[in-house]
Amino acid sequence: MIPTQLRQELEERVAQAITPREAAVDVMKGLQGHYGWLTDEAVAEAALILGLSTLQVEELATFYEMIYRRPVGRVVVHVCDSISCWAMGSETLLHHLEQHLGIAAGATTADNAVTLLPCCCLGNCGNGPALMIGDRLFGPVSPEQAAAIIAGHREDQ
Amino acid sequence: MNTSDLLIARFHGAATMDSTILFKHNRPGRAVTFDEYLANGGFKALRKALAGMSPNDVQQAVIDSGLRGRGGAGFPTGRKWSFVPRNLPGPRYLICNSDEMEPGTYKDRVLLEHNPHLLVEGMALTSFALGVERAFIFIRRGYEQAALNLRNAIAEAHKAGFLGNAICGSGFCLELDVHLSAGRYICGEETALMNALEGIRANPRAKPPFPAVKGLWGQPTVVNNVETLANIPAIIANGPTWFKALAATPEGSGTKLFCVSGHVRDPICLELPIGTPLGEIIDTHCGGMRPGSSFKACIPGGASTPYFTKEHWAVAMDFDPVAKAGSRLGTGGVVVFDQTTCMVAATLNLVRFFARESCGWCTPCREGLPFVRHTLERIEAGRGEASDIDILKEHVHKLNYAFCALAPGAMGPVEGLLRLFEDEVREHITGGKCPLGKH
Ligand SMILES: Cc1cc2nc3c(=O)[nH]c(=O)nc-3n(C[C@H](O)[C@H](O)[C@H](O)COP(=O)(O)O)c2cc1C
Ligand code: SF4
Ligand code: FES
């Protein structure tokens, strides 16, 4: 079950849309914000709110890079692995973070605090290597700075 | 350490002498306010159009200006608008494409973070020309600051009577919606974008019918890039002749945002006369190469464009000259590589991106790109064979038959690699390892 207030917000969003499914990404994001990731229950809730089948929601959920259909940690660190950041050392940055966190890219730390995900260009190419946590873009980040940024977010949680 | 110091550490996009339109109003480190924009002639063009021009006059001015789309393909903007039938019943739509996920491209973010009002005014003028009453701005994930700026700018424009009903006391009405996406490169392809906006899995649609006739919810639709639309107010305010004359060459027209990244000293985004030579962008405006680096190659216009080398230093960075030199101006995202860069490894990075972002709809792309990736992986690891070069060449040709432009775009850098760096590729194969010691 989701909080009544969230349900109302999402239903209002759907009501403003030209067709309900136009709001699909917003609804999935809202539910992901609540559950931390798009759980099976969240898919069912989204389907109900949007008037779609769960398959139709799944088709969308699995399409987008930033909709998580698997559990993630409380902090998700997206490290850009596209060309400009690659030229500026994103492979070194990612390897350093893997060692620092003790996990492989794609995995979550044992305490469920941090998930490390390589991602597509963040539109921060002049500041490579770049990474994103939540809605915040960072760059250029050295391996040491990246570790400090992640530590800061861990404390905030 | 204070982590907020690192947040978009370099907020590039400073106004320079050449910033005649898009960065003209820019303030260092923040967005220009609505009042500042207004005080500097903002919304003058919209007032002018609504007071004394017909929709057709606006479209004609854009046709005469020679403006070509800034989203990658360079299609003449006014001509695109003219394909929209004006006599069909039902609504027409305008979509601003702010998906910007082509690696090496960040100009639209810088533009929106500095001046969202230009886009609002440009979209109002375009909607007036097309008879649109509801327009959408499709923004990628990661551009939340840009989206926030836009939402604020839209609210302020509403309050001041530049959006909503009876705009500037005329009969023209317009609502602007901001649609946030969730990250997928193919959503930038205009027909996939329309599916994404409708809440359908974002595979591209077959063309024809073209969006101008049958687009969003089956209605006539124009899709334009952020930078394209942000140019419209200046064209209307100052006239097409003025706009044309801004170019660095007599054939060109207007200015262009170049967003530079990679091994230069100052990787910044700046507005320059379109047709500015490549070498001047790098040496004069980006401080040359970073210390210890010498120029080896660059991508001139985003991840899907074939490489340029030192022999292309003097090429005028405009659509036709860049095409004549064997590449594409694309998005104006210039990614610079120095002597330490292995071009096979760079191409592999690019192909990995495209293979991962393939939407899976058609076989040549879904199956072909992983195969090309695999071939490049083997070459980079020193396990390539001489026949691999022909296999790659064949794929450069065959992937043109894919359903949309993603797959041919993916092969742009591969084509450039084989044409300009075939010796480097062969060295990997004969030497059994990367000659630059990368892997
Ligand atoms: C795979 C792919 C991704 C694209 N991504 C974008 C994008 O992010 N932004 C954009 O403006 N155009 C993008 N385009 C080009 C659009 O399809 C379309 O041509 C453009 O938005 C038209 O605007 P313009 O005429 O103002 O350039 C992309 C094309 C392809 C094939
Ligand atoms: S070329 Fe690639 S991205 Fe385009 S439709 Fe085919 S599979 Fe999808
Ligand atoms: S390539 Fe990393 S942000 Fe664009």
Side-chain angles (χ1 to χ4, degrees):
Chain A
M1 278 295 286
I2 56 171
T4 319
Q5 196 197 336
L6 176 61
R7 183 181 307 280
Q8 272 170 3
E9 274 170 29
L10 297 177
E11 281 170 359
E12 268 166 40
R13 170 67 188 93
V14 170
Q16 285 164 10
I18 292 184
T19 65
R21 64 185 303 167
E22 182 206 338
V25 167
D26 286 344
V27 168
M28 290 192 296
K29 276 188 191 162
L31 291 167
Q32 177 165 289
H34 173 70
Y35 289 98
W37 58 288
L38 205 74
T39 60
D40 290 350
E41 188 177 302
V43 170
E45 289 281 1
L48 215 64
I49 293 170
L50 292 163
L52 298 175
S53 68
T54 48
L55 173 61
Q56 285 170 314
V57 173
E58 187 76 319
E59 266 187 343
L60 294 169
T62 53
F63 197 73
Y64 292 105
E65 186 177 22
M66 301 287 172
I67 299 293
Y68 314 128
R69 261 308 258 132
R70 283 191 197 156
V72 289
R74 291 184 292 279
V75 179
V76 182
V77 182
H78 293 278
V79 181
C80 171
D81 66 3
S82 293
I83 191 68
S84 309
C85 293
W86 172 84
M88 299 307 284
S90 61
E91 283 177 341
T92 311
L93 175 63
L94 191 64
H95 289 153
H96 179 90
L97 288 178
E98 287 181 326
Q99 281 177 355
H100 174 74
L101 295 168
I103 51 172
T108 301
T109 54
D111 61 355
N112 253 344
V114 183
T115 299
L116 183 63
L117 294 178
C119 72
C120 291
C121 177
L122 291 165
N124 202 17
C125 326
N127 292 327
L131 56 82
M132 181 173 77
I133 299 177
D135 289 347
R136 298 172 75 188
L137 290 172
F138 297 88
V141 281
S142 66
E144 296 71 30
Q145 284 170 328
I149 294 168
I150 293 171
H153 277 80
R154 250 181 153 146
E155 278 164 28
D156 290 349
Q157 290 298 313
Chain B
M1 185 181 43
N2 183 355
T3 56
S4 66
D5 290 350
L6 285 161
L7 181 71
I8 310 183
R10 283 175 285 164
F11 195 75
H12 316 297
T16 67
M17 240 175 62
D18 296 299
S19 309
T20 35
I21 301 176
L22 302 164
F23 284 180
K24 181 178 144 190
H25 304 266
N26 284 12
R27 301 292 194 276
R30 66 172 174 87
V32 58
T33 66
F34 183 77
D35 291 337
E36 284 168 344
Y37 181 64
L38 213 55
N40 275 298
F43 289 101
K44 200 174 80 180
L46 183 62
R47 282 206 189 98
K48 175 178 168 181
L50 293 179
M53 295 172 82
S54 70
N56 212 41
D57 293 340
V58 173
Q59 177 175 299
Q60 194 57 47
V62 175
I63 292 175
D64 295 342
S65 77
L67 174 66
R68 295 174 67 170
R70 304 306 198 217
F75 195 85
T77 305
R79 249 183 71 212
K80 183 189 276 190
W81 296 1
S82 73
F83 297 150
V84 173
R86 309 299 153 105
N87 50 0
L88 291 180
R92 279 162 232 152
Y93 296 112
L94 169 68
I95 303 173
C96 170
N97 190 344
S98 185
D99 194 55
E100 191 161 78
M101 281 191 65
E102 174 131 338
T105 310
Y106 59 99
K107 67 188 177 71
D108 295 338
R109 176 177 64 77
V110 173
L111 176 57
L112 291 175
E113 283 179 358
H114 282 88
N115 190 349
H117 316 291
L118 258 186
L119 179 64
V120 172
E121 186 177 3
M123 288 186 75
L125 282 162
T126 306
S127 298
F128 173 68
L130 294 167
V132 163
E133 294 183 352
R134 189 151 182 180
F136 298 85
I137 302 164
F138 185 93
I139 302 195
R140 63 164 289 173
R141 166 81 175 111
Y143 283 15
E144 273 70 17
Q145 183 62 49
L148 185 70
N149 288 1
L150 261 170
R151 289 205 161 111
N152 290 337
I154 289 169
E156 284 172 303
H158 250 284
K159 227 167 51 199
F162 296 123
L163 288 176
N165 290 325
I167 297 173
C168 298
S170 73
F172 172 54
C173 314
L174 177 65
E175 295 298 337
L176 281 187
D177 285 356
V178 176
H179 178 105
L180 275 165
S181 188
R184 193 75 196 251
Y185 172 58
I186 193 62
C187 295
E189 197 281 336
E190 58 185 7
T191 60
L193 189 158
M194 296 186 299
N195 280 339
L197 240 177
E198 290 183 24
I200 299 168
R201 194 173 164 105
N203 300 118
R205 298 177 181 175
K207 293 191 254 191
F210 287 93
V213 180
K214 207 163 182 285
L216 196 62
W217 291 295
Q219 295 300 126
T221 303
V222 165
V223 181
N224 274 133
N225 173 257
V226 179
E227 185 186 346
T228 310
L229 293 165
N231 271 302
I232 308 299
I235 293 171
I236 300 307
N238 304 308
T241 318
W242 174 87
F243 183 80
K244 265 185 105 70
L246 295 174
T249 62
E251 299 78 30
S253 123
T255 64
K256 178 79 194 77
L257 295 181
F258 293 101
C259 44
V260 186
S261 61
H263 301 146
V264 293
R265 215 187 61 184
D266 307 318
I268 55 168
C269 177
L270 69 174
E271 179 180 12
L272 292 172
I274 199 165
T276 300
L278 173 67
E280 189 186 320
I281 296 175
I282 293 173
D283 269 349
T284 313
H285 300 284
C286 296
M289 299 299 287
R290 66 182 182 185
S293 280
S294 62
F295 179 86
K296 179 174 182 177
C298 73
I299 295 171
S304 61
T305 60
Y307 302 111
F308 270 177
T309 61
K310 199 77 192 188
E311 71 180 275
H312 303 105
W313 201 244
V315 172
M317 291 290 278
D318 195 348
F319 295 99
D320 295 337
V322 172
K324 228 174 98 191
S327 189
R328 290 189 303 112
L329 183 65
T331 60
V334 182
V335 188
V336 179
F337 304 113
D338 72 4
Q339 76 286 359
T340 65
T341 312
C342 168
M343 298 313 289
V344 176
T347 310
L348 173 58
N349 174 280
L350 292 161
V351 170
R352 275 192 179 132
F353 164 82
F354 288 108
R356 193 167 68 190
E357 289 300 308
S358 165
C359 81
W361 183 253
C362 70
T363 315
C365 174
R366 185 185 61 240
E367 306 290 329
L369 288 182
F371 187 72
V372 172
R373 182 193 64 206
H374 181 67
T375 307
L376 287 169
E377 273 166 358
R378 282 197 294 111
I379 295 173
E380 178 60 10
R383 288 185 280 108
E385 289 162 30
S387 57
D388 286 343
I389 293 189
D390 287 333
I391 291 178
L392 288 176
K393 283 184 178 158
E394 190 183 357
H395 279 75
V396 168
H397 173 65
K398 293 269 171 66
L399 286 192
N400 283 320
Y401 294 99
F403 189 71
C404 85
L406 184 142
M411 297 313 281
V414 181
E415 186 276 323
L417 176 76
L418 297 170
R419 178 163 44 84
L420 299 163
F421 297 100
E422 187 169 334
D423 288 350
E424 194 173 318
V425 181
R426 286 194 188 281
E427 256 183 90
H428 280 77
I429 295 170
T430 50
K433 63 178 180 19
C434 172
L436 283 123
K438 292 287 174 189
H439 284 99

